[in-house]
Amino acid sequence: MPLPFLTADGAFDAHDTGDTLPYQDHDRWRRPYRPGPWRVAIAALLLLLGSFMLFATVIITAAGTWTGALGGLAASLAVVGSALRLLRTGVWVSRKGLRRVGFFGTRSIPWSQVAEVRTVQQPVRWLGLPRTVQGQALTVAARGGAGLPVLLTDHNADFLSRTEAFDRAADSVEAWAAEYRGVPA
């Protein structure tokens, strides 16, 4: 089963070809980087837990306890849904704008509202936890001075201990911003 949110149609080899926006269809929302090993490992563990919970639900159903089976099914589907949502989180780009997909919400910003996208040195959260360390962050500034969240950090689940991947992803998002900031969506 293809997982379109994990593939990028060969776009990760763009730094080898010199093409900054390697996608064929710029109207589709795409993540310009691969999910990191920490994010994939956590999602895999959640999917494993969800499969055990589904197996337990089958056993509970065979025992004839329907209310317990429905509770187990609901819990296992919540765990599987959480794993899939975790894989979707990140920064997505298209000709229309910039989209930051979080675990609980999504925020889209049209390119016409983006004033600047840049990489800065600042304290960043380590794997999304409250602990902060000094690192790099890809930030976006909106026209009119609206406060926007940090897009990417070099210490999140996608880029921890992968500074080259963070640099490529930041450069790719900055290239999309440079290409489409003045174009109406």
Side-chain angles (χ1 to χ4, degrees):
M1 175 175 83
L3 300 174
F5 50 86
L6 291 179
T7 61
D9 305 329
F12 299 112
D13 300 326
H15 64 282
D16 297 331
T17 63
D19 190 8
T20 57
L21 304 178
Y23 301 110
Q24 297 296 327
D25 184 11
H26 289 218
D27 291 325
R28 246 180 93 191
W29 289 101
R30 304 212 183 242
R31 181 180 11 215
Y33 58 92
R34 287 188 176 109
W38 285 92
R39 185 175 309 281
V40 173
I42 292 169
L45 288 174
L46 284 173
L47 288 172
L48 182 65
L49 176 65
S51 68
F52 284 132
M53 292 171 72
L54 281 172
F55 185 66
T57 301
V58 169
I59 292 172
I60 291 170
T61 303
T65 311
W66 291 100
T67 56
L70 287 176
L73 180 65
S76 62
L77 290 178
V79 169
V80 169
S82 296
L84 294 177
R85 184 64 181 180
L86 182 66
L87 286 174
R88 271 197 73 79
T89 61
V91 175
W92 296 70
V93 291
S94 81
R95 184 181 315 230
K96 299 169 191 157
L98 180 68
R99 180 175 285 175
R100 183 178 179 272
V101 178
F103 190 77
F104 293 110
T106 299
R107 182 170 183 187
S108 297
I109 307 161
W111 289 121
S112 61
Q113 297 297 316
V114 174
E116 180 181 38
V117 176
R118 65 186 178 118
T119 305
V120 296
Q121 289 281 339
Q122 68 179 33
V124 296
R125 298 172 86 187
W126 184 77
L127 286 177
L129 299 172
R131 177 178 176 223
T132 60
V133 295
Q134 189 65 27
Q136 293 185 24
L138 183 69
T139 61
V140 61
R143 297 191 196 280
L148 298 173
V150 171
L151 297 177
L152 302 171
T153 69
D154 62 345
H155 285 80
N156 69 6
D158 290 323
F159 303 110
L160 187 64
S161 301
R162 297 175 56 223
T163 55
E164 299 86 18
F166 173 78
D167 292 337
R168 279 195 313 267
D171 290 343
S172 178
V173 173
E174 289 171 355
W176 278 84
E179 179 79 18
Y180 290 113
R181 251 192 314 212
V183 177

